[in-house]
Amino acid sequence: QKEVEQNSGPLSVPEGAIASLNCTYSDRGSQSFFWYRQYSGKSPELIMSIYSNGDKEDGRFTAQLNKASQYVSLLIRDSQPSDSATYLCAAMDSSYKLIFGSGTRLLVRP
Amino acid sequence: EPEVTQTPSHQVTQMGQEVILRCVPISNHLYFYWYRQILGQKVEFLVSFYNNEISEKSEIFDDQFSVERPDGSNFTLKIRSTKLEDSAMYFCASTEDPQIGNTIYFGEGSWLTVV
């Protein structure tokens, strides 16, 4: 069974702090990984994609991938109250479908 | 920016009724998906569709479910005889070519409430 595991949270951080979100996956065949943000009642919105080991930065967001440890993370720098949402980690499997984790709820306190 | 559009945004239906959820994927995309999310639960894969046929379907996608691409633009999900447990948000998604890492884009979703 292909699984993506995330801590459900909530992860509470003060405004301006770094939020660190983590995810592990079970399918070693997965090569592409994605972080989506989901506001309550809304659809997933892509934040970052990462395909190679190491770090990938985009503005305030940095995704990290370690395929040996089957671990993906997302760092959000200078967190804002508007970043408060559920963050979904997803792995694309060998048949090109996304396997989602259950999401981590992030709360950024003003 | 191109987007995946879904209709209706919300539908309430009686148990046992048929429901059709409609999606217009992004125009140059070739791979289409339906996912669903029961309230408070994770986003679950239902079915993928490529080259006018189902590529893969999950255990959830039983004989009550079907998908169709009736013309060059629409992609529909039909639930033949709805059950209470079909109440969920249904997301359509599309991508140009996932084999080269293209992003999968999601529509805004269709809330289905079965009463």
Side-chain angles (χ1 to χ4, degrees):
Chain A
Q1 183 80 339
K2 298 169 187 173
E3 298 277 348
V4 173
E5 300 287 343
Q6 293 181 257
N7 187 320
S8 61
L11 172 66
S12 181
V13 301
E15 185 174 354
I18 295 175
S20 177
L21 306 161
N22 307 309
C23 154
T24 59
Y25 60 94
S26 64
D27 180 13
R28 284 200 174 272
S30 293
Q31 297 296 319
S32 304
F33 303 90
F34 304 84
W35 283 99
Y36 286 84
R37 177 174 63 197
Q38 186 177 34
Y39 294 110
S40 182
K42 301 296 186 183
S43 64
E45 172 194 6
L46 182 72
I47 300 294
M48 293 278 293
S49 59
I50 187 164
Y51 312 107
S52 305
N53 278 329
D55 295 0
K56 179 181 176 184
E57 188 173 317
D58 184 1
R60 295 187 296 114
F61 300 95
T62 299
Q64 299 172 317
L65 173 61
N66 183 325
K67 290 184 181 179
S69 301
Q70 295 175 246
Y71 176 88
V72 193
S73 67
L74 179 71
L75 298 177
I76 307 174
R77 287 180 297 282
D78 188 24
S79 296
Q80 301 296 308
S82 57
D83 294 326
S84 297
T86 297
Y87 288 79
L88 308 178
C89 175
M92 182 173 285
D93 74 2
S94 54
S95 61
Y96 308 113
K97 69 179 185 288
L98 293 175
I99 309 294
F100 282 89
S102 56
T104 298
R105 195 156 69 94
L106 173 66
L107 296 175
V108 181
R109 309 186 304 271
Chain B
E1 185 176 314
E3 58 183 24
V4 177
T5 57
Q6 290 186 240
T7 54
S9 57
H10 189 196
Q11 182 161 353
V12 181
T13 190
Q14 295 236 320
M15 193 167 51
Q17 295 297 302
E18 176 182 284
V19 160
I20 297 176
L21 305 178
R22 292 183 166 80
C23 168
V24 178
I26 295 172
S27 62
N28 62 332
H29 286 188
L30 302 175
Y31 292 75
F32 314 116
Y33 307 83
W34 283 101
Y35 288 81
R36 80 170 185 190
Q37 188 175 31
I38 294 171
L39 189 64
Q41 297 187 24
K42 64 171 69 175
V43 177
E44 301 174 287
F45 168 78
L46 290 179
V47 65
S48 56
F49 191 89
Y50 170 69
N51 203 24
N52 283 320
E53 61 182 25
I54 290 175
S55 300
E56 185 175 349
K57 55 186 180 181
S58 71
E59 292 175 355
I60 303 166
F61 195 90
D62 61 21
D63 292 343
Q64 293 300 313
F65 290 87
S66 62
V67 289
E68 198 174 49
R69 189 158 161 81
D71 52 41
S73 59
N74 291 286
F75 179 51
T76 62
L77 174 69
K78 182 193 289 187
I79 310 174
R80 252 178 284 280
S81 177
T82 49
K83 304 188 276 283
L84 294 176
E85 54 264 37
D86 294 327
S87 295
M89 178 78 101
Y90 288 81
F91 295 111
C92 175
S94 71
T95 186
E96 188 174 349
D97 186 354
Q99 298 183 59
I100 58 172
N102 289 137
T103 298
I104 295 179
Y105 292 93
F106 284 78
E108 290 297 309
S110 293
W111 260 119
L112 176 64
T113 303
V114 182
V115 296

